[in-house]
Amino acid sequence: MGAMLGLLTGCAAQSPSILRPVSPKGRAEADLFGFILAITAFVFIVVEALLLYAVVRFRARDPRAIPPQIHGNRALEVSWTTVTALGLAVIFAMTWRTMAATSTPPADALPVKVIGHQWWWEFQYPTLGITTANELVIPVGQPLRVTVTSADVIHSFWVPQLGGKMDAIPGRENVLWLQADAEGTYYGQCAELCGASHANMRLRVHAVSREAFDRWVEAQRAPAASPTEPLAQQGYQVFMSKACVGCHTINGTPAQGKVGPNLTHVGSRTTIAAGLLENTPENLARWLDNPPAIKPGSLMPRLGLTPQEIQALVAYLSSLK
Amino acid sequence: MASSAVTLPRVYEERGLLSWLTTVDHKRIGILYILGAGFFALIGGLEALLIRTQLAIPDNRLLVGEAYNQVLTMHGTTMVFLVVMPVLAGLGNYVVPLMIGARDMAYPRLNAFGVWMFLLGGIFLNLSFLLGGAPDAGWFGYAPLTAKTFSKGAGIDFWILGLQLLGISSITSSINFVSTILLLRAPGLTLNRLPLFAWTTLVTAFLILFAMPSISAALFLLFLDRHLGTHFFNPAAGGDPLLWQHLFWFFGHPEVYIMILPAMGIVSEVLPVFSRKPIFGYTAVAYSSVAIGFIGFTVWAHHMFAVGLPDVVNAFFSAASMLVAVPTAIKVFNWIATIWGGSVRYRVPFLFAAAFVALFVIGGLSGLFLASVPVDWQVTDTYFVVAHFHYTLFGGSMFAIVAGIYYWFPKITGRFLDERLGRLHFALQFIGFNLTFFPMHFLGLMGMPRRVYTYAAGLGWESLNLLATIGAFILALGFVVFFVNIARSLVAGERAPDDPWDGHTLEWLTSSPPPPYNFARVPVVHSRRPAWDRKYTGNPHPRPVAEAPTAQAPVGDGPEGDSEAEPIHLPAPSLWPLILAAGLTVFALGLVTHWIFIPLGLLLFALGLARWVQQPLFPETHEASS
Amino acid sequence: MASHHPAVGSEIAVDSRKLGVWVFLASEVIFFASLIVSYLVLHNRVTSGPTAHEALTLTIPTINTMILLTSSVAMVLALAHLRDGNRRASIAWLLTTAWLGICFLILKAVEYNQHLHEGLTPSVNVFGSAYYTVTGFHAAHVAVGVIWILSVALGLRRRLSPQNDVLVETVGLYWHFVDLVWVAIFMVVYLMR
């Protein structure tokens, strides 16, 4: 059922469809969807058929004919009320079951903290001492206990193929069970209107093997690589002398700003600007030149960098793997 | 009835602008509501087309960022508060007093005040576009996005104050409907014989009275947060963004029933007439309306399943949300049973009413997915929800509204809307609507969130978005045909008799349009279908109405006829409701623009109020009330 | 519709102005309920600034409760005298009611003044916000009531008669409602602090 539905809706197979779930929660939700779909499809067919039949079959042949003036039928009323109520009771019972089974992460879950910002995602792994942004790397098959909150307005953390969403509300910590049972990259996006660039607040979840995850953790814990080639070294200088340090953190350097995403290992991410652009030198350059043009309302302003400065910064940031 | 021997003082026959500005006649007020709603529908529709054009292709740059958010916010706010609610209030205003055999609403001047508050409030809200930017935080304005920190401009203030002004209009209108329906029914018109459109209007009035104060309180708190530094929704100081959501949705959910119930009432009037039999299960349908009203107050947090409320709380709201499907289903089955076995005439009102049933069923069924918490966790805040509420509010309410307009247009204007243009309109609207909104179910399932001004290429969302945009333009074309039909028919439409559809209820017993006093003699009622029964029951020579619009139906003239002749007192026209409404609007303007308008508005308000209270309701000297 | 009395057919025999006020008051119940619920939810979520326990004293609020309850009695007397045909006494009692309402407002202003001097402002913390909002809206309703009473007692004095007692009955309904809301606020805000 889920596969058929997946085919139906993910007909562009690249869609982050909720009907091609890769997590226990997502699968339970998709199964429940399928169950309700079966019932509602049946109801739809029966009711619309009855309506259509009534409309067609009883079309007036003589415009003055007066049909039998029937006022009602108690047995019928009781029957269709009862059937409806029973059908709904069944749906509710399945709803309750699924909700109970999916609302809390299992005990051995790895804690991850998600903090929504206008318009990017901060990710922390408290037990691993890692802070990163916009791309979450997780081990396959490992349940995560994701605590979701916000630093400003309400956002909503959603990776469709990994299960339902959870709102990120300032002053509140909500808990979400996240898990990916197959390796891959999963698309996610903010799902609560949060201002001008709500549409541009995207994310990726990379589910990798346990070994790859451990390697990633080690690399993330390490401070930023010191640039070796000259252009990158120039970029380092530009970064540390400009306003960048006021907003961004690069571990192991004087840059300790907390307003924008942590850039310590930005070079290892597949996307930039909160999942908006592919992480290529061209896109990095475009972004550095004029962030508000790409992301309306962006809190990162146009810094008035010269093309040379931009080239240098691109080299430096790309080196931060 | 039509042949009246009543002569009216000149003042009631006046034409001209002043007579409209001072009218307290429920029929003129109804027309003002409908015309106003039509005007705002053009604006809201334009906003919709802008949205769809922007979303037709990925990474489009036509309307981005906050500009897009302003358009989407105003589209929603306009359609809810400036189109659907007012047009239903307008149809109710025009039709309900006639349906219950009354000469006017219980509080004629309060009625006028309500329509001016609506018109001025709607203009006020739209002024925001010209005065610094429209509100851009969505039609439900979640805190803290609406806090001063995150919304520095005056747009949100226009939204807050505009909604307060409109809320005043709705509340006064509801007080009027409750008193009118409870107190002013014709002799013999017990509640058990009340037409279903009047039933739903009554229930809706109570919903408004109990729901609007919640959003009013929330709006006050938000305004205080924004301007007096209070902390209701500021988590850093102990405030709670969720408080906004609870207060808003406690209003917000009944609000959608406020928008659908009168529409269901229209369908309950139209289907029987064009099937030539009574509504099937009158009692069940009437009680279902009441049940929907009650249950509707217990489901609000189903809009909040993803905010992290405890499981047991979510479960309660989930169960209640499914429970409301029961009375809704009862209505649907009764509507189908009404058509069943009937002698169905495919006139345009019937087409739209039958389409209502078909499309509302889809909307209701998609609602079941949203009521189921785990599924909702996936589909909430996606285009699945956009599909759902457009199927219920457009496929539902709007289709029924259009049915009502085609149905009562002859009564209101004395002319028919053109039948052929009507069918063209229907085809375009039906096809356009489904093409626009059915794909959105899939877009939601495919991961597309709502309220996004653009989307990336390569996610598989392109073709369905393009399809939806094409559908939207077809839909718009349908409305162009509709407005052309209205314009043409107003001047050159085929003349309509008193009873063009062989109707069931009292409004068809008076002329088209009715005289200012509605009925020369208030009819005495003996059943749920007084007009039908005068024609076909107890009448030794029943003569059905011929289909040609010029035929007249004879009305039974027996001892159960009309009530005794009595002197007719009509309330005097009054300027003060308009002045009062203007005062409040100017006051609101002062709060968002120049302070000088504050005392100016208060002055107008005080003047209007004082003169209103001093002016007697009836012009004759022996009038004994305030 | 020849008057404010229901049409012949309605089985509900109530003056339309009275029904209108009842219905309006029903919606006001929800309005105040929303404010009171907001107060209940937020009032002790303070992290800094005065708390309810610290800032609120019972003297003025208790006196104010007595004042309002007395004023309701005065209002009842005003209506009773009018029904007896004693228009002068009725107006006197109406003015007494209004005067008591004004006393309430004066004491409220004194109380607010005290609070402000002690550092309790609407913006100091969420308790301040909720306290001033709930009591402020109530005070505004009292003020409107006073104006309404004075308009009836002074502006409409010529229309007052036993046949027209609805003019006093309606303002009475409103006034009793405002009194009841105060009792609720007194309990929730002051007694339960």
Side-chain angles (χ1 to χ4, degrees):
Chain A
M1 167 70 81
M4 183 191 76
L5 292 167
L7 243 138
L8 268 177
T9 63
C11 28
Q14 66 267 43
S15 292
S17 165
I18 72 163
L19 297 177
R20 288 184 303 114
V22 167
S23 78
K25 185 163 190 272
R27 271 193 304 274
E29 289 159 352
D31 286 344
L32 183 58
F33 177 88
F35 178 77
I36 299 177
L37 183 64
I39 296 180
T40 51
F42 174 74
V43 171
F44 171 81
I45 292 170
V46 168
V47 172
E48 303 285 13
L50 284 170
L51 175 65
L52 196 57
Y53 180 79
V55 168
V56 170
R57 161 75 178 78
F58 296 103
R59 184 177 192 172
R61 285 166 235 305
D62 172 8
R64 290 172 300 176
I66 296 180
Q69 303 288 289
I70 311 227
H71 293 260
N73 181 315
R74 175 154 284 176
L76 218 50
E77 294 284 358
V78 172
S79 311
W80 60 46
T81 306
T82 314
V83 170
T84 306
L86 284 176
L88 291 168
V90 169
I91 295 180
F92 179 71
M94 296 299 290
T95 296
W96 171 271
R97 239 183 61 171
T98 308
M99 182 175 64
T102 57
S103 63
T104 332
D108 58 336
L110 174 70
V112 168
K113 191 161 181 188
V114 171
I115 304 172
H117 297 259
Q118 281 180 317
W119 292 281
W120 59 279
W121 298 99
E122 180 179 346
F123 298 134
Q124 294 174 3
Y125 297 70
T127 55
L128 303 172
I130 295 172
T131 301
T132 181
N134 300 322
E135 300 200 2
L136 204 56
V137 178
I138 62 178
V140 169
Q142 166 76 45
L144 290 103
R145 183 175 198 279
V146 180
T147 318
V148 184
T149 186
S150 168
D152 40 42
V153 300
I154 299 181
H155 303 274
S156 192
F157 179 80
W158 189 37
V159 186
Q161 287 183 273
L162 301 187
K165 57 186 67 71
M166 181 57 77
D167 281 2
I169 301 173
R172 197 179 170 88
E173 298 210 330
N174 287 330
V175 174
L176 178 71
W177 174 15
L178 203 70
Q179 183 172 329
D181 288 345
E183 284 187 35
T185 296
Y186 304 104
Y187 178 91
Q189 193 168 343
C190 176
E192 185 62 68
L193 180 65
C194 53
S197 267
H198 162 62
N200 300 323
M201 189 170 160
R202 309 172 190 175
L203 67 128
R204 300 288 186 282
V205 176
H206 302 288
V208 299
S209 67
R210 168 62 58 176
E211 302 74 41
F213 179 71
D214 290 337
R215 281 196 302 274
W216 178 83
V217 169
E218 237 193 274
Q220 288 285 316
R221 279 202 187 129
S226 286
T228 46
E229 62 108 9
L231 194 57
Q233 283 170 339
Q234 229 183 319
Y236 175 95
Q237 294 302 331
V238 175
F239 193 100
M240 299 306 155
S241 62
K242 294 271 181 195
C244 324
V245 298
C247 292
H248 294 285
T249 296
I250 299 182
N251 290 337
T253 73
Q256 296 296 315
K258 298 278 183 269
V259 178
N262 185 309
L263 298 177
T264 310
H265 300 282
V266 63
S268 66
R269 294 182 199 151
T270 62
T271 61
I272 57 166
L276 196 57
L277 303 167
E278 251 190 271
N279 191 354
T280 65
E282 298 76 41
N283 283 337
L284 256 176
R286 271 181 62 207
W287 172 256
L288 287 168
D289 178 54
N290 195 350
I294 295 175
K295 220 163 168 174
S298 161
L299 289 159
M300 176 164 161
R302 189 150 205 215
L303 292 155
L305 301 166
T306 68
Q308 297 88 333
E309 288 171 324
I310 292 179
Q311 287 305 318
L313 279 169
V314 168
Y316 173 56
L317 293 169
S318 304
S319 77
L320 293 175
K321 297 247 183 268
Chain B
M1 219 216 58
S3 56
S4 86
V6 176
T7 43
L8 296 174
R10 268 220 58 83
V11 64
Y12 297 112
E13 295 172 282
E14 265 178 23
R15 299 176 168 276
L17 182 62
L18 191 63
S19 73
W20 281 89
L21 294 177
T22 58
T23 187
V24 297
D25 180 343
H26 73 99
K27 297 182 289 300
R28 284 198 163 189
I29 291 171
I31 291 172
L32 286 172
Y33 267 113
I34 296 171
L35 289 178
F39 170 71
F40 290 118
L42 286 172
I43 300 181
L46 205 67
E47 286 156 352
L49 288 179
L50 280 171
I51 293 173
R52 279 319 319 163
T53 309
Q54 163 63 16
L55 292 175
I57 56 175
D59 297 314
N60 204 0
R61 308 286 286 185
L62 175 70
L63 191 64
V64 302
E66 281 193 356
Y68 179 89
N69 290 347
Q70 288 181 25
V71 172
L72 93 79
T73 301
M74 287 302 283
H75 168 71
T77 305
T78 298
M79 289 310 193
V80 170
F81 294 101
L82 302 181
V83 178
V84 174
M85 285 180 82
V87 76
L88 289 173
L91 284 172
N93 242 299
Y94 197 103
V95 172
V96 168
L98 287 167
M99 262 186 171
I100 64 174
R103 296 205 187 287
D104 205 316
M105 297 279 274
Y107 317 111
R109 287 177 300 185
L110 193 66
N111 205 14
F113 172 70
V115 77
W116 297 121
M117 285 301 307
F118 152 59
L119 291 170
L120 293 175
I123 292 173
F124 173 85
L125 188 57
N126 279 283
L127 274 179
S128 60
F129 276 118
L130 303 172
L131 294 178
D136 59 357
W139 90 277
F140 37 86
Y142 276 0
L145 182 60
T146 46
K148 202 75 170 144
T149 336
F150 301 107
S151 291
K152 296 186 170 43
I156 300 297
D157 297 313
F158 271 98
W159 184 73
I160 292 172
L161 295 168
L163 289 185
Q164 296 280 39
L165 294 174
L166 295 168
I168 293 173
S169 169
S170 295
I171 297 239
T172 57
S173 159
S174 301
I175 298 175
N176 233 328
F177 277 120
V178 170
S179 290
T180 304
I181 295 173
L182 289 183
L183 301 180
L184 299 184
R185 284 166 282 134
L189 217 175
T190 58
L191 285 177
N192 191 33
R193 292 173 180 164
L194 193 64
L196 287 169
F197 181 56
W199 260 116
T200 53
T201 301
L202 181 64
V203 173
T204 302
F206 277 110
L207 287 182
I208 291 176
L209 287 165
F210 293 129
M212 295 236 68
S214 182
I215 189 181
S216 181
L219 290 169
F220 274 120
L221 299 186
L222 182 62
F223 196 78
L224 291 172
D225 265 20
R226 285 175 61 81
H227 298 286
L228 277 189
T230 54
H231 301 288
F232 292 103
F233 310 120
N234 175 12
D240 192 348
L242 287 188
L243 177 65
W244 169 268
Q245 292 193 28
H246 283 292
L247 287 174
F248 181 86
W249 287 117
F250 185 79
F251 150 80
H253 197 83
E255 169 65 12
V256 313
Y257 294 120
I258 288 167
M259 289 191 283
I260 197 68
L261 278 173
M264 290 176 160
I266 294 175
V267 170
S268 295
E269 297 294 333
V270 170
L271 290 180
V273 167
F274 291 91
S275 308
R276 297 186 137 248
K277 35 195 293 276
I279 186 84
F280 194 94
Y282 171 93
T283 312
V285 176
Y287 279 142
S288 293
S289 305
V290 178
I292 290 172
F294 267 112
I295 303 175
F297 270 103
T298 63
V299 305
W300 79 88
H302 69 220
H303 300 270
M304 297 165 63
F305 281 151
V307 307
L309 297 172
D311 279 358
V312 67
V313 173
N314 282 343
F316 167 78
F317 285 103
S318 178
S321 305
M322 294 189 195
L323 184 63
V324 82
V326 176
T328 314
I330 290 175
K331 287 189 162 206
V332 169
F333 292 130
N334 277 297
W335 285 323
I336 296 176
T338 301
I339 303 172
W340 197 283
S343 178
V344 178
R345 293 172 291 154
Y346 283 12
R347 302 299 296 269
V348 177
F350 175 80
L351 296 178
F352 279 100
F356 167 95
V357 181
L359 298 174
F360 182 76
V361 164
I362 298 177
L365 292 175
S366 65
L368 278 184
F369 293 92
L370 296 165
S372 171
V373 181
V375 177
D376 184 80
W377 283 335
Q378 283 284 36
V379 296
T380 193
D381 264 312
T382 69
Y383 262 81
F384 190 89
V385 180
V386 179
H388 162 73
F389 68 68
H390 280 95
Y391 264 85
T392 47
L393 290 177
F394 195 128
S397 300
M398 190 56 81
F399 269 74
I401 287 166
V402 171
I405 293 177
Y406 275 93
Y407 181 57
W408 280 305
F409 189 90
K411 176 57 55 183
I412 297 174
T413 63
R415 294 176 186 271
F416 283 95
L417 278 170
D418 184 83
E419 189 76 7
R420 279 179 51 198
L421 274 181
R423 286 167 197 239
L424 177 62
H425 168 204
F426 175 74
L428 288 170
Q429 186 167 317
F430 189 83
I431 293 170
F433 169 79
N434 282 294
L435 213 60
T436 309
F437 295 107
F438 200 74
M440 292 186 185
H441 292 104
F442 297 101
L443 281 172
L445 296 175
M446 288 156 72
M448 183 172 176
R450 60 183 288 200
R451 299 163 146 195
V452 290
Y453 75 78
T454 190
Y455 52 93
L459 291 174
W461 300 341
E462 295 92 315
S463 34
L464 292 178
N465 266 295
L466 185 59
L467 197 59
T469 300
I470 294 171
F473 277 91
I474 296 176
L475 191 51
L477 194 59
F479 273 93
V480 167
V481 171
F482 185 39
F483 282 119
V484 164
N485 196 354
I486 292 176
R488 275 180 45 174
S489 304
L490 278 174
V491 288
E494 211 173 334
R495 294 274 177 196
D498 297 0
D499 184 10
W501 309 117
D502 199 15
H504 299 185
T505 39
L506 286 180
E507 73 267 31
W508 309 109
L509 288 185
T510 185
S511 60
S512 301
Y517 48 86
N518 293 347
F519 302 93
R521 294 186 185 192
V522 173
V524 176
V525 168
H526 301 282
S527 73
R528 288 176 185 155
R529 294 189 299 162
W532 176 274
D533 291 336
R534 280 175 189 227
K535 288 176 284 187
Y536 299 113
T537 314
N539 182 344
H541 303 290
R543 269 170 54 193
V545 180
E547 286 298 27
T550 48
Q552 292 261 1
V555 171
D557 208 28
E560 330 83 62
D562 307 326
S563 55
E564 287 303 307
E566 51 168 28
I568 297 176
H569 300 267
L570 288 184
S574 175
L575 189 62
W576 310 119
L578 172 56
I579 299 296
L580 197 65
L584 282 173
T585 311
V586 169
F587 173 77
L589 203 60
L591 291 174
V592 268
T593 58
H594 200 281
W595 66 264
I596 193 71
F597 291 116
I598 297 179
L600 223 75
L602 288 174
L603 216 68
L604 268 177
F605 178 84
L607 173 72
L609 189 59
R611 302 292 280 158
W612 176 336
V613 170
Q614 283 167 3
Q615 181 191 15
L617 184 58
F618 299 102
E620 286 94 317
T621 50
H622 62 269
E623 199 277 314
S625 52
S626 68
Chain C
M1 194 210 76
S3 70
H4 293 287
H5 299 287
V8 180
S10 167
E11 59 268 5
I12 304 167
V14 173
D15 183 294
S16 71
R17 288 165 294 181
K18 229 169 41 167
L19 181 61
V21 173
W22 273 110
V23 170
F24 170 68
L25 292 179
S27 77
E28 288 271 80
V29 168
I30 303 291
F31 180 73
F32 276 105
S34 305
L35 293 180
I36 291 175
V37 163
S38 302
Y39 177 87
L40 280 170
V41 162
L42 294 177
H43 75 284
N44 50 15
R45 291 201 197 180
V46 291
T47 45
S48 67
T51 63
H53 193 81
E54 292 161 8
L56 299 179
T57 56
L58 284 184
T59 325
I60 291 183
T62 310
I63 299 174
N64 262 345
T65 307
M66 298 302 143
I67 289 177
L68 273 192
L69 289 174
T70 312
S71 74
S72 272
V73 173
M75 178 61 83
V76 169
L77 288 172
L79 183 60
H81 279 292
L82 184 63
R83 286 188 172 146
D84 281 343
N86 192 342
R87 210 177 68 168
R88 294 182 109 240
S90 174
I91 291 176
W93 281 111
L94 281 176
L95 292 175
T96 307
T97 313
W99 169 239
L100 288 168
I102 291 172
C103 291
F104 175 93
L105 291 171
I106 293 174
L107 280 179
K108 197 83 203 133
V110 168
E111 190 191 4
Y112 276 174
N113 195 42
Q114 256 174 29
H115 289 319
L116 288 170
H117 272 107
E118 289 161 7
L120 179 67
T121 67
S123 53
V124 70
N125 60 21
V126 77
F127 161 67
S129 305
Y131 169 75
Y132 280 103
T133 304
V134 147
T135 55
F137 269 106
H138 174 262
H141 279 73
V142 171
V144 166
V146 168
I147 296 173
W148 187 349
I149 294 172
L150 291 175
S151 345
V152 170
L154 304 173
L156 300 179
R157 62 194 312 150
R158 259 169 259 100
R159 294 198 219 169
L160 292 176
S161 73
Q163 294 75 27
N164 220 0
D165 65 351
V166 71
L167 290 176
V168 174
E169 206 178 349
T170 46
V171 68
L173 280 172
Y174 176 82
W175 191 257
H176 297 312
F177 168 75
V178 169
D179 194 358
L180 278 172
V181 170
W182 170 256
V183 170
I185 291 176
F186 182 62
M187 289 194 313
V188 167
V189 173
Y190 293 100
L191 292 184
M192 282 168 42
R193 77 202 190 286

